[in-house]
Amino acid sequence: MEVATISFDKFNVLQDAQAQERIRAARAKLGDRAVLLCHHYQRADVYQHADLTGDSLKLAKLASQTDAEYIVFCGVHFMAEVADILSKDNQIAILPDLAAGCSMADMANLAKVERCWRELTEVLGTPDEQITPVTYINSAADLKAFCGEHGGIVCTSTNAPTILDWAFKQREKVLFFPDQHLGRWTGFKKGIPLEDMHVWDPDLEYGGLTPEQIKSAKVLLWKGHCSVHQMFQESHIRRWRMQHPDGLVISHPESNLDVCKASDYVGSTEYIINTIKAGPDNARWLVGTELNLVNRLAEEEKSRGVVVEFMAPTVCMCSTMQRIDPQHLAWTLENLVEGNVVNQIEVPPHEAELAKVALDRMLAVS
């Protein structure tokens, strides 16, 4: 007999404590049929239930390795898509709230990327022979499929330097999207002059570039950014160092170039966590990444006398990931207990096949 899906309406009014109780009860009933993957930026009242945690690269690998029937992804939409692409055919990827998207990922869509490729064809003649498309994992599945189809690859903030090396071994130029800052920092660290990295504005004809600029560019950087990391400024670091000259600064490479250059360390969320945890006792850190992660680190490292401070004077958190709250998680899990799958993420087969090509290239290189 088919069981009706439990409506979310009643969960919307659940107090947090009630929701937490119901999450625990549903998890006990599901046992190992469901696994909860949580990104490091996830809010604390959801993160506490995670079976597996990590940054985008680590979670992509974990999604491909788990045997659970249900992969409940407490992150954002593109992460659940990756889980669906890399998981086995009999596994189901679920996103507790479909509104949990990514503003950066939305800054590049397939129509604009395909138009960019057509315009590059007009200027270069054969972009498939000259340009390797590289998409940051923070992008929709159809853009990963585009890269799979055109000899390209996916990268994360962890493996971007390795991926850029791979890309240049294939062709002489790189089209990097959707985050210009990660692309610029990675290229800069590889010794590519800033004047050889031009920003492609998808809202302008030919990206707002001249044919000469397109021909001379080593890297074309898509005009996209993370709404959280763009808030960090070099002036924040300068003021903090005046007060704490012996302090250490660590930033995520989605921050702008000036912030990265002014930091002592730059790396992915996993790198930030590992670096601070391996650092000296009684150290003071200024951290340029998402607020939930910084707060969690501050609490965890307090017993060592380590002080972890957030870089920006304003609140910067991943607001879309915040949509995965205890109420949505309880609703998702209780539906699974009743035999209902809600908010399943399914990438169309042809698209998934091509996207997997680009993801498999990344995993092989990483």
Side-chain angles (χ1 to χ4, degrees):
M1 182 180 72
E2 186 176 339
V3 182
T5 303
I6 302 169
S7 166
F8 178 68
D9 293 344
K10 64 178 180 178
F11 286 84
N12 214 12
V13 297
L14 278 183
Q15 297 297 316
D16 284 351
Q18 292 176 292
Q20 298 293 352
E21 261 181 55
R22 294 172 76 153
I23 290 168
R24 286 189 284 270
R27 297 215 62 204
K29 291 176 183 175
L30 287 166
D32 59 7
R33 294 177 60 207
V35 62
L36 265 65
L37 271 62
C38 278
H39 191 275
H40 289 310
Y41 294 165
Q42 189 56 252
R43 49 193 289 167
D45 52 7
V46 171
Y47 192 87
Q48 64 179 317
H49 297 289
D51 295 308
L52 303 168
T53 62
D55 60 5
S56 295
L57 177 60
K58 186 176 177 182
L59 290 174
K61 291 178 177 177
L62 291 171
S64 68
Q65 295 166 1
T66 180
D67 293 320
E69 182 179 352
Y70 304 115
I71 301 172
V72 181
F73 216 119
C74 298
V76 293
H77 198 274
F78 73 79
M79 298 177 186
E81 284 185 332
V82 170
D84 179 57
I85 293 165
L86 295 179
S87 60
K88 303 171 185 68
D89 290 342
N90 62 334
Q91 293 178 296
I92 293 173
I94 296 167
L95 185 67
D97 186 350
L98 295 179
C102 172
S103 59
M104 179 202 293
D106 293 341
M107 291 177 189
N109 61 49
L110 184 59
K112 288 184 177 181
V113 171
E114 287 182 334
R115 189 184 75 188
C116 166
W117 207 249
R118 288 195 299 272
E119 291 177 338
L120 290 173
T121 301
E122 290 179 31
V123 175
L124 300 174
T126 53
D128 282 278
E129 294 177 10
Q130 298 176 60
I131 303 177
T132 304
V134 177
T135 188
Y136 192 19
I137 200 165
N138 299 37
S139 60
D142 55 6
L143 293 190
K144 295 178 177 73
F146 176 91
C147 288
E149 184 176 7
H150 291 277
I153 195 167
V154 178
C155 81
T156 71
S157 54
T158 299
N159 63 23
T162 302
I163 297 302
L164 204 62
D165 287 341
W166 180 91
F168 282 125
K169 286 177 183 175
Q170 315 309 307
R171 296 158 192 168
E172 63 190 78
K173 298 176 183 285
V174 163
L175 171 64
F176 192 100
F177 53 89
D179 181 27
Q180 61 172 304
H181 297 303
L182 175 62
R184 184 179 293 107
W185 174 249
T186 306
F188 175 77
K189 291 296 287 181
K190 289 290 177 185
I192 299 173
L194 293 176
E195 58 268 24
D196 291 344
M197 296 188 281
H198 296 306
V199 175
W200 182 280
D201 187 337
D203 294 323
L204 298 176
E205 191 174 30
Y206 300 103
L209 301 174
T210 65
E212 290 72 25
Q213 287 174 313
I214 293 172
K215 289 174 183 176
S216 67
K218 188 76 174 167
V219 181
L220 292 169
L221 301 164
W222 195 267
K223 191 180 180 181
H225 61 266
C226 170
S227 59
V228 171
H229 291 95
Q230 73 160 351
M231 301 297 289
F232 305 128
Q233 302 297 324
E234 187 269 339
S235 59
H236 300 155
I237 299 174
R238 197 174 345 110
R239 282 197 297 268
W240 187 82
R241 287 199 191 276
M242 289 175 67
Q243 297 175 332
H244 309 288
D246 296 327
L248 298 165
V249 180
I250 188 166
S251 300
H252 194 284
E254 288 176 16
S255 306
N256 69 58
L257 183 67
D258 288 342
V259 168
C260 292
K261 288 167 71 174
S263 300
D264 300 300
Y265 303 91
V266 179
S268 68
T269 52
E270 200 78 16
Y271 174 85
I272 289 170
I273 292 168
N274 293 338
T275 301
I276 292 175
K277 287 186 176 296
D281 293 349
N282 304 310
R284 183 181 289 271
W285 292 88
L286 185 68
V287 184
T289 196
E290 202 269 347
L291 183 61
N292 281 299
L293 172 59
V294 177
N295 285 344
R296 189 176 304 121
L297 271 172
E299 189 61 33
E300 290 173 355
E301 295 303 295
K302 196 161 51 177
S303 62
R304 294 199 298 125
V306 174
V307 176
V308 178
E309 297 181 58
F310 185 64
M311 186 177 291
T314 53
V315 173
C316 303
M317 60 176 64
C318 185
S319 58
T320 49
M321 200 175 296
Q322 287 282 111
R323 294 177 185 272
I324 308 293
D325 55 23
Q327 288 75 14
H328 278 92
L329 183 55
W331 170 70
T332 299
L333 296 174
E334 287 193 358
N335 265 292
L336 291 179
V337 169
E338 295 297 322
N340 309 316
V341 174
V342 292
N343 291 359
Q344 180 177 358
I345 301 299
E346 292 184 277
V347 179
H350 177 66
E351 190 175 286
E353 183 181 348
L354 286 171
K356 190 173 186 301
V357 170
L359 284 163
D360 282 345
R361 286 176 184 144
M362 176 190 77
L363 294 173
V365 172
S366 303

